[in-house]
Amino acid sequence: MTSTYVTRFAPSPTGYLHLGHAFSALTAYKAAKDAGGKFILRIEDIDLTRCRTEYESAIYEDLEWLGLDWDPPVRRQSDHFEEYAEALETLAENQLVYRCFKTRQEITDEIARAPHLSPSGPEGPQYIGAPLKANEERSLMAKGAPYAWRLSISAAQEFLGEKFHALHFTAELENGETQRVNATPALFGDAVIGRKDSGVSYHLASVYDDALQNVTHVIRGQDLYHAAHLHRLLQALLALPEPVYRCHRLITDDNGKRFAKRDKSATLRARRMSGATPEAVRAELGFR
Ligand code: GLU
C-alpha cells in the first residue's frame, strides 16, 4: 500500500496570522501539491485563555485570501479534549506520568537549588521531579489543588528499555535530503504533557493529532525543531507511527528579528488593508 503524502498547517488562534505563518502555510501547501498529497488545516486551540474564535475565523479568511485551500474537515483541538485525556490515561496506566502540584516559581527555585540535576534543554534548564506519596497526593487532591501531568523521563526509559536510546527521527533538510537523528528526549526533563488548566499540552495534542490525521510529513518552523525529540518519544510510548520532520527557516523583519503576533504591520490583514495583493505577498515570501 502506498501511503499518501499528508502535511498540515497547525496555527494557534491567539492573534492574526503574520508573514511568518504565511510562509509556513505556503511551504506546507507547496510540499503537498508537489507530492500530489494532501494539505490539511488544524486549529490548535487548547489554550482556552489565549485562543479566540474571532482569530480562528480570521485564519480561514486570511488563508483563503492567500489562495490556499485545504482538505476538509478542519480539526479543532478544543473539540477533542476527551481524546487527549484518554491518551494521557494510557500513559498513566503504564505509570509514565505523574501529577505535579508545584507552582512555576517552586519549579524555578528547585532548578536553581539543584542545577546539576536539571538537564539543560533547548529552552533552558529543565525540571526532573517525582510523584508524591499516595497519601500526600490524596490530601492535595481533596483540597482541589491544581496539578499538571509530567512525563517521567526515567519511567519512559525503563518502559522502553534498550529502545529508549535507539529512538531516532527522520529530519528532512532544505535540499530534500533526509537524515536520521538520534532522539534525545531527556533534553526536556520531565516535560509537562497535561497542563494545569486544560489537562493537555501542545506536545501531546500535536503528536496525537498528527497520528490520527495520518500526517506523513510534519512541516513547521525551525523554532520547533527540538520538539521532535520529545514527540518521537511520545510516539514510541503510545505506539503511534512516526512522520518525517521538516523544519523551515524563520521569516524575519528588516532587523533580523522573527515576526511575532504583536508586530501588527506584518499581519496578513494589515497587508491586505494597505492594498497588497495576495500575489505580492506570495512573491515577497518566495512563492508564485
Ligand atoms: N500551534 C503551533 C504554533 O502555532 C504549531 C505547532 C506545530 O506545527 O506543530 O506555533
Side-chain angles (χ1 to χ4, degrees):
M1 202 179 80
T2 53
S3 67
T4 322
Y5 186 108
V6 181
T7 189
R8 80 321 190 258
F9 176 53
S12 297
T14 54
Y16 292 117
L17 297 185
H18 54 65
L19 291 177
H21 293 111
F23 182 77
S24 200
L26 287 163
T27 303
Y29 184 77
K30 180 176 184 313
K33 297 297 143 188
D34 288 350
K38 281 193 197 173
F39 170 73
I40 58 176
L41 175 63
R42 183 164 78 223
I43 303 295
E44 298 207 325
D45 59 347
I46 55 169
D47 186 341
L48 298 176
T49 52
R50 293 174 59 226
C51 294
R52 302 233 297 259
T53 48
E54 85 187 72
Y55 293 136
E56 182 186 336
S57 318
I59 288 174
Y60 305 133
E61 216 179 283
D62 291 347
L63 292 180
E64 274 169 21
W65 176 78
L66 203 55
L68 304 192
D69 48 43
W70 46 91
D71 255 68
V74 171
R75 183 170 168 90
R76 288 173 82 215
Q77 292 191 324
S78 61
D79 292 333
H80 301 280
F81 282 120
E82 278 175 24
E83 288 168 59
Y84 309 129
E86 269 173 42
L88 191 68
E89 187 52 38
T90 308
L91 297 172
E93 277 163 12
N94 290 313
Q95 271 97 48
L96 294 165
V97 288
Y98 62 89
R99 290 185 179 89
C100 176
F101 293 84
K102 297 199 164 124
T103 60
R104 218 174 262 251
Q105 190 58 52
E106 285 169 332
I107 297 283
T108 309
D109 294 348
E110 272 197 42
I111 291 177
R113 272 199 304 276
H116 55 292
L117 296 178
S118 314
S120 112
E123 280 156 26
Q126 302 294 307
Y127 177 73
I128 293 198
L132 287 177
K133 294 205 185 73
N135 59 340
E136 287 175 275
E137 189 170 293
R138 262 198 307 276
S139 93
L140 282 170
M141 296 214 13
K143 283 189 219 147
Y147 58 85
W149 286 98
R150 284 184 183 270
L151 179 69
S152 162
I153 199 75
S154 58
Q157 187 167 342
E158 207 172 304
F159 183 79
L160 292 176
E162 284 173 9
K163 277 196 237 147
F164 182 86
H165 292 292
L167 282 177
H168 282 74
F169 62 89
T170 301
E172 191 180 302
L173 311 177
E174 294 273 349
N175 64 8
E177 278 171 27
T178 56
Q179 235 173 32
R180 284 297 273 171
V181 180
N182 187 212
T184 50
L187 283 178
F188 285 82
D190 288 352
V192 170
I193 59 157
R195 293 162 46 129
K196 276 186 186 169
D197 52 358
S198 61
V200 62
S201 75
Y202 154 66
H203 299 299
L204 183 61
S206 169
V207 162
Y208 180 91
D209 284 350
D210 284 334
L212 182 85
Q213 300 188 287
N214 302 312
V215 170
T216 57
H217 291 71
V218 169
I219 301 179
R220 58 188 173 202
Q222 200 86 59
D223 52 329
L224 286 167
Y225 175 79
H226 287 96
H229 289 274
L230 177 59
H231 293 188
R232 186 67 198 95
L233 172 62
L234 286 170
Q235 286 148 6
L237 297 174
L238 291 164
L240 300 174
E242 71 166 292
V244 169
Y245 289 95
R246 171 170 160 194
C247 290
H248 58 72
R249 70 188 170 89
L250 299 174
I251 294 295
T252 52
D253 64 15
D254 294 342
N255 302 316
K257 249 184 72 232
R258 265 177 64 193
F259 289 117
K261 288 193 170 143
R262 60 182 177 277
D263 300 326
K264 300 277 180 285
S265 64
T267 63
L268 292 177
R269 308 231 122 193
R271 290 293 161 119
R272 196 157 104 198
M273 303 287 213
S274 64
T277 61
E279 291 72 28
V281 171
R282 291 162 72 106
E284 181 182 349
L285 296 170
F287 293 85
R288 273 189 289 148

